[in-house]
Amino acid sequence: MSTTGTPAPAAPPPLVPDSARPAVSRARYGLLTSLFIITAINYLDRTNLSVALPHIKDDLHLTATQQGILLSSFGWAYLLLQIPTGRLIDKVGAKLAFGYALVGWSLATAAVVLSRGFGSLVGIRVALGAFEAPAFPSNNRLVVNWFPGNERGRATATYTSGEYIGLAVAAPVLSLLTVHFGWRSVFLVTGAVGLLFSVVWFRRVYDRPEQSPKVSVEELAHIQQPDEQESAAAVEKASEAELSTMGADLRVLFTNKRLWGMYIGQFASASVLFFFLTWFPSYLVEEKGMGIIKAGFWASAPYLAALVGTLVGGAWSDRMLDNGRSRTVARKLPVMIGFVLASIIVCANFTDSAPLVITFMSIAFFAQGLMQNSWALFADSVPRRLTGTGGGVFNFMANAGGVLTPLVIGFIVDATGSFAWALGYIGIVVAVGLVAYALLIDRVERIEA
C-alpha cells in the first residue's frame, strides 16, 4: 500500500508476444458481443419485476405507492454504490468487477422465489441493485480500452441495445411464464441465465486488448490510435497514471460545467427509461385495460423501437465524425433530438386506442434510444484516467432518475387514480434535459485532469 495516501499503482497487464498473435483479427467485436449479452441479462434481471408486478400486486395486495417503493428499491443501493464501484473498477479492472457482480445479481434474482412478502421483496431488490452497480461503469471502461474514438459511438450503441433486445424478446415469454407457472418462475429462469453466462465471461473477456492472445498486432495498433483530440503521449500517460485522492478526483468530476450538463441530461434520459422499465406494463394493464399476456406482446414494440433508436443514434454520431462534423455536433445532436421526440409520450393521455398508444410510446422510447449516445459523449469528455470513477458518477446521476421516477409515478397514481399526470411529469423532465444540453455543454472535448 502506498504510504503517501494515494493508491499504489496497479501491476502492468501481462503482455502477449507479437509472435503469438494472429495475423489479422477483429477481437474487439467479440468483446462487444459479450458486453451486449451481459447488458441484456443485466436489464432483464432488473426489469423482470415490472412484467410480474400485476400478479405480485394482486397476490400481496399492494397499493400503487407500495408498488412504486418496490420498483424504486432496486435503485437505492445501485445509486449509492456507483461512485465506490467506479473507483473499484479503476483499481481492479472491469472484468473482475463485472464478472463477480454478474454472479451476485443472478443469485439475488433467483432468491426472489424465497420471498414471502413486501418487506422481503424490497430487501432482495436492494441487494440486486447493489450487485448490479458496476455494470455501466464497467461497460464504459471496456469500450474506452477496446475501441478507438471514432468507433465508440457505435460500440456504445451496440452494447446499450442489449437493454432493449432482451426485453423485447423476453417480455412475451416472461408474461407467459407468469400466467402459466406463477410469478416466481420468472425470477428463477432469469437468474439461471446469468449464472450460465458468467462462465463465458470469465473465460473469454480481457480488461485490455494487449492482454488478449486473439488480438493481432494490426488490430492492437488500430485500437490504440489516438484521435484528433488526444495525442499518443496523452493516451499513454493516462493509461499509466496513478489515481489521485478520492476528493481531488471528485472535485474534477463535480466542478465542470459541461459534465453537469451531461449529468442533468442523463437524469432526464433515465427518467424516460425507468418509466418503461418499471411502470409501463402496469400502465398498459391498469390504464389501458389490456390483459397481461396482451400487454406483454404489445410492450415488445416500444422496446424494439428503443433498440432501433440506440443503433441509429450511435451509427449516425460516428458517421457525422467520419464526415468531418465537429465532435460537439456529432455527439450532442442525437441526444437533443431524442429529448424533443420523447415529449410525445404525453399524447398517450388523449387516446384509448391500443395501436395509437403503442405508436406514441414507441416514438418516445425510440427517442430514449437516441439519448443513449450520451455515453459516447461522456466517454469522449471524461479524463481518461477517471473512466471508471467518472462512469460511476455519470451513472449515479442517471439512476437518481431511476430511483425517483418509480416513486413519483406511484404517488401520482395513488393521488389521482390515473397515469395522466405521471406522463406529464416525464414530459417536464425531458424539457429540463434539453435545456441543460443546450446551455451547459458548449463543446465536447477531453477534460484534462
Side-chain angles (χ1 to χ4, degrees):
M1 179 180 292
S2 172
T3 59
T4 63
T6 59
L15 299 179
V16 178
D18 290 352
S19 59
R21 296 184 178 277
V24 178
S25 71
R26 297 169 74 87
R28 64 192 185 280
Y29 297 120
L31 178 278
L32 190 57
T33 300
S34 293
L35 291 185
F36 172 87
I37 294 171
I38 199 172
T39 301
I41 294 170
N42 180 274
Y43 266 75
L44 191 60
D45 287 347
R46 72 172 68 179
T47 58
N48 48 20
L49 176 66
S50 66
V51 176
L53 188 59
H55 278 219
I56 296 173
K57 176 199 72 172
D58 293 338
D59 193 10
L60 303 182
H61 309 291
L62 303 181
T63 67
T65 297
Q66 287 177 310
Q67 292 173 68
I69 292 170
L70 183 56
L71 291 167
S72 172
S73 59
F74 164 86
W76 303 344
Y78 187 87
L79 177 72
L80 294 175
L81 290 175
Q82 284 304 300
I83 296 173
T85 56
R87 193 72 169 182
L88 177 68
I89 291 162
D90 283 335
K91 288 184 177 181
V92 306
K95 173 184 177 174
L96 287 179
F98 211 171
Y100 285 117
L102 170 61
V103 173
W105 89 59
S106 298
L107 291 173
T109 298
V112 170
V113 302
L114 303 177
S115 65
R116 289 296 177 266
F118 175 70
S120 59
L121 268 178
V122 168
I124 292 170
R125 293 292 292 183
V126 172
L128 177 69
F131 282 117
E132 289 204 7
F136 272 75
S138 295
N139 282 340
N140 187 55
R141 177 82 176 204
L142 288 166
V143 164
V144 170
N145 286 350
W146 278 80
F147 289 86
N150 66 341
E151 293 183 3
R152 287 182 199 142
R154 281 165 286 191
T156 299
T158 300
Y159 80 68
T160 304
S161 68
E163 299 175 14
Y164 311 112
I165 191 65
L167 294 171
V169 172
V173 175
L174 296 184
S175 298
L176 290 170
L177 278 175
T178 301
V179 170
H180 294 293
F181 298 99
W183 58 265
R184 286 182 172 85
S185 65
V186 168
F187 302 94
L188 187 61
V189 170
T190 51
V193 170
L195 289 174
L196 289 173
F197 185 71
S198 67
V199 177
V200 178
W201 179 267
F202 282 114
R203 289 174 61 89
R204 295 186 177 275
V205 171
Y206 295 87
D207 274 307
R208 306 185 67 86
E210 56 266 35
Q211 296 172 302
S212 173
K214 296 183 179 180
V215 178
S216 66
V217 174
E218 180 185 59
E219 184 180 20
L220 188 61
H222 175 76
I223 291 170
Q224 295 178 339
Q225 64 178 309
D227 59 37
E228 71 272 11
Q229 66 171 351
E230 297 176 296
S231 67
V235 173
E236 182 178 357
K237 178 181 177 182
S239 67
E240 296 175 353
E242 186 176 321
L243 291 175
S244 184
T245 64
M246 175 69 91
D249 290 339
L250 291 181
R251 277 194 295 275
V252 172
L253 297 170
F254 280 111
T255 58
N256 186 279
K257 180 187 76 172
R258 293 177 205 150
L259 291 181
W260 269 106
M262 298 175 206
Y263 298 153
I264 295 170
Q266 197 68 354
F267 176 94
S269 174
S271 296
V272 181
L273 176 63
F274 273 81
F275 166 74
F276 283 98
L277 299 186
T278 57
W279 279 105
F280 181 51
S282 294
Y283 166 80
L284 295 179
V285 172
E286 296 174 18
E287 187 81 0
K288 301 304 178 182
M290 299 182 190
I292 188 169
I293 294 178
K294 181 179 179 181
F297 280 90
W298 274 114
S300 295
Y303 294 142
L304 289 172
L307 166 66
V308 173
T310 301
L311 297 175
V312 167
W316 181 29
S317 178
D318 282 353
R319 178 65 61 87
M320 284 190 281
L321 279 180
D322 292 340
N323 290 340
R325 300 301 295 269
S326 72
R327 190 169 296 270
T328 300
V329 171
R331 295 307 192 212
K332 280 180 62 176
L333 187 58
V335 182
M336 295 183 73
I337 290 176
F339 285 131
V340 173
L341 288 178
S343 62
I344 202 171
I345 195 172
V346 178
C347 294
N349 284 334
F350 304 102
T351 180
D352 289 323
S353 165
L356 202 52
V357 167
I358 294 300
T359 297
F360 289 139
M361 291 295 172
S362 296
I363 293 172
F365 214 6
F366 170 87
Q368 200 281 326
L370 291 178
M371 296 178 207
Q372 294 287 12
N373 198 59
S374 59
W375 273 101
L377 187 158
F378 186 77
D380 285 345
S381 304
V382 69
R384 262 187 173 267
R385 68 182 182 84
L386 297 178
T387 51
T389 305
V393 172
F394 191 58
N395 216 28
F396 176 94
M397 296 301 180
N399 284 278
V403 168
L404 191 61
T405 297
L407 287 174
V408 170
I409 293 177
F411 294 150
I412 289 173
V413 172
D414 259 349
T416 66
S418 83
F419 282 82
W421 282 104
L423 298 189
Y425 166 77
I426 299 296
I428 292 169
V429 171
V430 296
V432 172
L434 178 64
V435 171
Y437 259 63
L439 298 183
L440 298 180
I441 308 175
D442 55 345
R443 63 184 182 277
V444 176
E445 63 183 14
R446 180 75 64 199
I447 295 165
E448 297 297 332

